[in-house]
Amino acid sequence: MAEITPAEDRARFEVLPFDDIVAEAAQLPRAAAVTVTCSPKHGPDRGLETAARLRQLGHSVTVHVAARMVRDRDHLDRLLAGLAEAGVEDLFLIGGDVEEPVGEYSSAVELLALVADHPERPELIGIAGYPEGHPLISDDELEGALQAKSRLADYVVTQMCFDTETLRGWIERERERGMDLPVVIGMPGKVTRRKLLRMATRIGVGPSLDFLRKQKGLRALLSRRSTADRLFDGVAPLLDDSRLAVAGFQYFTFNELCQTWEWHRKKGLTRHDSEQLARSS
């Protein structure tokens, strides 16, 4: 049975589908849950190729597929067949940020039903949630899409958000509205500002003001108003609230995979020690 997040660390690590990430992943001391993003420049096929190589290293892998970058049903069939052949049991379906769809699908809602009913569908299907909204989609449209998608999906991953109360408030509201899927919280990994800007250029969006304006989390990271440490300390207690059903974290590593993995391991150990101390006092 595929896990949304591994029980031992409750974390997934998002990477970009470049050749150097495979070598970096080979340096991890043990297998991890790695999610391979679908970049506007390279599309889902490159993500699938990278995922297959990561699986050969023993990592569990999630592949991002952007609906607006799927050309047609034949392309979808080949992607799902490739996932099955590589042993990938988890697909994260998003709409995608390219302005014009390359084919007949313009949103995750349109493609999800085809994926869910497909004979080679993966065991898990994830969808996106937007606690801070989306610059191009109204809140009402986002809510309607989430409700429609949640009936066919297995979990939700939030956009990268830097405010604990915004995250908690969004999850609580969605629970009240009947959305019962496990939630994975999207948050930044341990990444430098310089690396963030360099990777933004490589994935084809560039460090433009327009890109940064659309990504609230990235603005906060670049301005240093928030840090990964501070956010972890604020968000980690949400995992202990059973009403919220938070499954864990998804770190946007920007290919600082080993650094983020080690940082998360140390944060987890520190949190465990603090909990042990609190219980014994």
Side-chain angles (χ1 to χ4, degrees), residues 15-18 35-54 61-84 86 88 90-98 100-103 105 111 115 203:
V15 300
L16 297 156
F18 304 140
T35 78
V36 183
T37 193
C38 181
S39 76
K41 184 175 181 179
H42 297 105
D45 298 278
R46 172 70 72 86
L48 175 57
E49 293 171 8
T50 302
R53 297 170 67 188
L54 292 170
V61 182
T62 302
V63 172
H64 294 210
V65 172
R68 296 169 74 87
M69 301 190 77
V70 176
R71 294 185 293 275
D72 50 30
R73 179 60 186 262
D74 181 63
H75 189 199
L76 176 65
D77 289 345
R78 286 188 283 108
L79 287 170
L80 294 180
L83 293 178
V88 174
D90 191 343
L91 181 150
F92 181 58
L93 184 62
I94 56 173
D97 288 331
V98 293
E100 293 295 329
V102 300
Y105 311 110
L111 198 58
V115 174
I203 63 176

Side-chain angles (χ1 to χ4, degrees), residues 131 165-166 168-178:
E165 290 310 309
T166 296
R168 175 185 286 275
W170 181 83
I171 297 171
E172 289 176 342
R173 287 193 300 275
E174 294 305 331
R175 297 302 182 219
E176 292 170 359
R177 292 165 175 164

Side-chain angles (χ1 to χ4, degrees), residues 4 14 17 32 46 59 81 124 134 181 188 211 233 267:
I4 298 172
E14 181 173 314
R46 172 70 72 86
H59 300 296
L124 294 176
H134 190 285
L181 297 181
F211 173 66
D233 294 340
K267 293 296 289 188

Side-chain angles (χ1 to χ4, degrees), residues 6 8-9 11-14 24-25 27-34 59 189-190 251 253 255-269:
E8 64 269 19
D9 61 12
R12 298 149 57 109
F13 300 87
E14 181 173 314
E24 173 124 354
Q27 298 176 38
L28 289 175
R30 65 171 185 262
V34 183
H59 300 296
K190 201 67 171 176
Y251 292 111
T253 72
N255 286 19
E256 294 283 5
L257 176 58
C258 291
Q259 180 172 300
T260 297
W261 184 91
E262 181 63 25
W263 168 81
H264 173 77
R265 187 188 69 85
K266 290 178 179 178
K267 293 296 289 188
L269 290 174

Side-chain angles (χ1 to χ4, degrees), residues 63-169:
V63 172
H64 294 210
V65 172
R68 296 169 74 87
M69 301 190 77
V70 176
R71 294 185 293 275
D72 50 30
R73 179 60 186 262
D74 181 63
H75 189 199
L76 176 65
D77 289 345
R78 286 188 283 108
L79 287 170
L80 294 180
L83 293 178
E85 183 179 355
V88 174
E89 300 177 317
D90 191 343
L91 181 150
F92 181 58
L93 184 62
I94 56 173
D97 288 331
V98 293
E99 290 189 12
E100 293 295 329
V102 300
E104 53 195 84
Y105 311 110
S106 61
S107 71
V109 175
E110 296 174 49
L111 198 58
L112 181 56
L114 294 177
V115 174
D117 290 336
H118 198 279
E120 292 192 278
R121 67 155 282 171
E123 186 172 347
L124 294 176
I125 300 174
I127 56 175
Y130 298 90
E132 291 187 312
H134 190 285
L136 303 177
I137 307 173
S138 72
D139 290 345
D140 287 344
E141 289 178 286
L142 285 175
E143 181 59 31
L146 180 62
Q147 293 297 326
K149 292 185 296 184
S150 63
R151 291 191 286 269
L152 297 173
D154 299 293
Y155 65 91
V156 178
V157 180
T158 73
Q159 68 192 138
M160 185 159 55
C161 180
F162 280 69
D163 187 275
T164 302
E165 290 310 309
T166 296
L167 283 165
R168 175 185 286 275

